[in-house]
Amino acid sequence: MKQNKNKISVFFAAACLLTALFNACTDVEPEIYSDILIDEYYKTPEQFSSLIADAYSQLAGEYGYVYREGYWSMQEYTSDEVVVPTRGTDWFDNGVPQAMHKHTWEENTRDVNNGWSFAYGGVGKCNNILDLIVTLKGADESLYDDATIKGIAETKVLRAFYHLLAMDLYGNVAISESSTENVRQSSRKEVFEWIEKEILENIDRLAPYIRYGSVTKPVAHTILAKLYLNAAVYSGTPRWQDAADRCDSIIMGNYGYGLNDDYFAAFKKENTNNKEIIFPVVFDAVKAEGNMFHLITLHYAQQDIYGFTEQPWNGPCTPKSFYDKYADNDLRKEQWFTGPILKDGDTVRYSNSTLINVPAIIVPEVTTIEDPTAANTFEGARFVKFEIEPGIGHHANSDFPIYRYADILLMKAEALMRLNGGTATQTAVDLVNEVRKRTGLEDYTTTTLTLPELLNERGRELAWEGHRRQDQIRFGTFNTGSWEFKEAEANTNRSIFPIPQWVLDGNPGVYTQNNWK
């Protein structure tokens, strides 16, 4: 096991033990701690890490950030880079994956429900921690020690991050600053302004260095960069210069971030503390579960190839139109598996109720989103960006980068182009080429780097990392664009999701439903 991840797991165990009054923890073996008064315990950053770990734990787990039926699916199934064909009866799921891809979701669609629970579950855990700090330390903040002040700042910025996820998905949502306050809906612009204020008020209290898996100052800069990059969508007012400035805070901040020479280095099973990862979901196959990309995308026949203890599910893949955005000599194209499934140099044979003893060959074409005969079993390029670990079961070890340094360079390039009327400056070109130089492709010029091409390049670089829906909305292709099994839409209301019906029912008179149809 990875040392850092064990440390995080121990912190999480401590958090569960000490904060059971507000959150139940499962599958964590209790540890023995010395007899120490709880009000004397939280006096160092390390001790506060054990408390705050419960709020970070929301990101991992099967229902976390990369959940195939929640936040991640809302960002990816709805975009042009993921499709989930029904193969026989597999992956029909009452039509949910199809509804997400076709933009026909409803107020009670499963993934729409789960996305809200995930985001506000994180908000709630942050509020519980802040409430507990007041209980332990008192309400007079002037008496707080430095460790307490830093712990509060970290929790508040993490809470702002969870609010950003909710606001990005649902628009007009609630700002929740306490576990006991009455719920009140705010406009998207108001939530935007609150997130900005919350981070700006706390950023200088954060640790000014990298603490892997934690919200420190560079992570806060990155959250602000994302907020400002999408400001025109969220608030109606562009903030391109602010986005560029926050990217500069990372680029020139001497934090130690940088690009790997190998594109795939950030996605290895041992990618903890990788210099390109700014803010990850910390995963561990045993102690911090939730990375299941190998399971959801690989074909059933690939179980024996890798010696998995569980059979893959043969689900999400990428549409051919997205796969074709990669030139054949783009090294990043290797994040997609197509071709014969080989064992000992021979193509594996496969049978189902329709196909009898046929060669198992994955093809990039997805001809149908629903085939009751499962004859489409081999259709769609499979996602293999994260290192495939032979012999694993349900979960993998690779940490998932929510934010990484390549995105910082691409965000700054976009901001500079927007400030220049959509035309690339030489600085913007240099930034994108810095990312592109490890791909084996020729450089862009100020003529060849257009905004549509930048969207394509962001897709190629950041595929399946949870940014695509947001990018397509910002570039204007989410609703009006068409791709396999999704038609162009006349309105733009599908840029936000409906507030789940159970949220409306549970808070009568509080929420006005979004205009999402």
Side-chain angles (χ1 to χ4, degrees), residues 81 259-260 262-264 266-267 276 322 326 330 332-333 335-336 383 385 401 404-410 432 434-439 454-465 467-468 471:
E81 68 180 22
L259 293 176
N260 300 303
D262 176 9
Y263 172 76
F264 293 95
F267 309 100
E276 193 164 332
F322 189 83
Y326 294 81
D330 187 339
R332 295 171 300 189
K333 197 169 187 176
Q335 66 189 290
W336 309 108
F383 181 70
K385 178 167 10 187
R404 59 185 176 94
Y405 188 70
D407 193 15
I408 292 292
L409 301 181
L410 295 176
V432 179
E434 187 176 349
V435 175
R436 191 174 169 86
K437 67 182 178 182
R438 61 186 176 185
T439 67
L454 180 59
L455 176 62
N456 289 336
E457 186 65 11
R458 285 188 60 82
R460 290 186 285 260
E461 177 69 23
L462 303 169
W464 286 40
E465 293 180 44
H467 303 288
R468 191 61 176 176
D471 287 351

Side-chain angles (χ1 to χ4, degrees), residues 419-431:
L419 288 168
N420 196 42
T423 301
T425 64
Q426 188 58 51
T427 301
V429 169
D430 291 343
L431 288 163

